[in-house]
Amino acid sequence: MSSSGTTNSEASMSSATKEILGRVRQLVPPMLERFHKGQMGRVAVIGGSEDYTGAPYFSAMASARLGCDLSHVICTPTAATVIKTYSPNLMVHPLMRSLPSSPAKPAGEDSDPSTASKHDTDPSEIASRIIPLLSRLHVLVIGPGLGRDPLMQKTVALVIQAAKKQNMPMVLDADALLLICNDPDLVRGYQEAVLTPNVVEFERLAKALNIEKEVAKEGKETDRVERLARELGGVMVLQKGGKDYLSNGTVTYSVDLEGGKKRSGGQGDTLTGSIATFLGWRKAYHEGLWDVKHKLKEEETAGLAVFGGSAITRECSRLAFAKRGRSLQASDLTDEVHTAFLNIFGEVDEDIFKL
């Protein structure tokens, strides 16, 4: 496919990619009059702190632009004030807290430790205000803009445990992966979890799980991602790179669609939001909210959802790079989400009942 073109030509895709995208397409809901608000996905991004407000916004907006009905951000109060100015389309909840870093911070979030209340410094107290929201959601994205603040990390660990009890799909990225490095059992064996490490994050995870570089064999680039997924008990791992490799240790896919050549920060946030929307659609698909002739098995659709999110992100990157070149920024990918969807999947509504 040409990086200067406007479509991702089928002729440039491998036959395997075409076949997989054909199955992914079945997860995309048609636009039917009988649907009501929220059925096509309710996603929340947990992250966003004083220093990092862009990442949760990019993730939540990618989710919304792709077609999720309701996109939430759960962050600290200082981050919430900023993120609300980015877009009125997101629901922003200032429920996270971070440890005090300066006595000049506003009371109620980063205030003087001598005056901060248990309400704002106990991870159990903080998590207890977030966990009730889970019943209103379909998918969590955890990590964009989270940072490494110990209070934020401990709070997120409690939310992950609560989400697992509700069998909720979750996508973990960025500093949420640090949690997994320190405590792999937090997600081990939980097959509704998806990890999306970049090159550096993947190496940290591999080191934490004693997966050596020598494992990779000539001609088998997916060895390490497969082993990492197996070591985590079937968790889906997407190893980002020149190609994206995703595996649960049993089934492995390679996403070979062309992307852009600029590696600006924040593109992975488009990925997490896109995967989350596909996971939300997966839930609706298995609940039978629309009719299909040939039903996909539930055990295969998690991988297909992740593949779909990766394909959308890579096409967003390709389109944005064709327009912006070396000036490309993460916000440029957000603007391309709908076009990327049309390039890859077309108008789904025209033939949904033929599937």
Side-chain angles (χ1 to χ4, degrees), residues 20-323:
I20 295 166
L21 286 174
R23 287 187 283 148
V24 173
R25 196 170 187 264
Q26 294 186 52
L27 300 180
V28 181
M31 304 295 290
L32 302 180
E33 290 185 359
R34 69 172 184 266
F35 290 160
H36 60 74
K37 180 175 67 177
Q39 285 186 302
M40 294 303 104
R42 302 193 293 270
V43 172
V45 180
I46 301 181
S49 52
E50 182 184 28
D51 292 334
Y52 305 109
T53 58
Y57 165 78
F58 293 133
S59 180
M61 280 303 296
S63 178
R65 291 290 188 190
L66 186 53
C68 173
D69 281 353
L70 299 170
S71 294
H72 302 254
V73 176
I74 300 172
C75 58
T76 65
T78 51
T81 301
V82 177
I83 294 169
K84 287 178 179 180
T85 69
Y86 294 158
S87 173
N89 298 307
L90 304 178
M91 286 156 284
V92 184
H93 311 271
L95 298 175
M96 291 290 284
R97 296 292 185 270
S98 59
L99 287 174
S101 57
S102 167
K105 303 280 185 191
E109 185 191 355
D110 297 324
S111 55
D112 191 324
S114 64
T115 60
S117 69
K118 182 179 179 182
H119 183 78
D120 292 327
T121 58
D122 183 339
S124 297
E125 288 278 337
I126 299 165
S128 71
R129 302 194 290 273
I130 298 170
I131 290 169
L133 294 178
L134 298 184
S135 62
R136 296 163 45 189
L137 303 170
H138 294 150
V139 185
L140 289 179
V141 176
I142 303 174
L146 182 67
R148 300 186 179 186
D149 177 87
L151 181 56
M152 299 270 279
Q153 293 265 321
K154 290 177 183 178
T155 302
V156 161
L158 293 173
V159 175
I160 289 174
Q161 291 170 355
K164 286 166 58 179
K165 292 177 181 178
Q166 299 185 30
N167 203 39
M168 178 175 291
M170 63 183 78
V171 185
L172 285 79
D173 189 45
D175 286 317
L177 298 175
L178 181 63
L179 275 172
I180 311 307
C181 289
N182 294 331
D183 182 11
D185 288 339
L186 196 58
V187 296
R188 196 189 302 273
Y190 186 63
Q191 297 182 6
E192 293 296 318
V194 179
L195 311 186
T196 58
N198 60 24
V199 173
V200 173
E201 293 160 346
F202 185 89
E203 292 304 327
R204 288 190 192 125
L205 285 165
K207 183 177 180 180
L209 291 159
N210 299 314
I211 297 171
E212 303 297 335
K213 286 187 177 181
E214 300 88 82
V215 170
K217 301 174 184 177
E218 186 176 353
K220 188 71 184 297
E221 297 173 304
T222 60
D223 277 346
R224 295 182 78 214
V225 70
E226 290 167 356
R227 185 173 173 193
L228 180 59
R230 286 194 296 270
E231 289 290 336
L232 288 170
V235 167
M236 183 70 66
V237 180
L238 188 154
Q239 181 183 10
K240 295 180 284 193
K243 295 179 182 179
D244 290 348
Y245 300 120
L246 58 118
S247 180
N248 62 1
T250 302
V251 177
T252 302
Y253 295 115
S254 173
V255 188
D256 58 4
L257 278 74
E258 181 183 355
K261 295 180 175 63
K262 176 67 184 297
R263 302 292 181 258
S264 59
Q267 296 185 59
D269 301 313
T270 294
L271 175 66
T272 58
S274 298
I275 292 173
T277 290
F278 271 102
L279 290 171
W281 288 345
R282 172 184 178 240
K283 175 180 172 63
Y285 176 86
H286 287 297
E287 289 178 347
L289 295 190
W290 66 95
D291 297 324
V292 293
K293 289 185 177 179
H294 307 292
K295 195 79 168 180
L296 297 167
K297 296 179 180 179
E298 193 162 356
E299 55 266 28
E300 70 177 311
T301 52
L304 294 177
V306 178
F307 192 102
S310 172
I312 289 290
T313 304
R314 296 180 73 87
E315 177 68 350
C316 286
S317 177
R318 187 190 73 85
L319 290 168
F321 183 72
K323 293 179 180 179

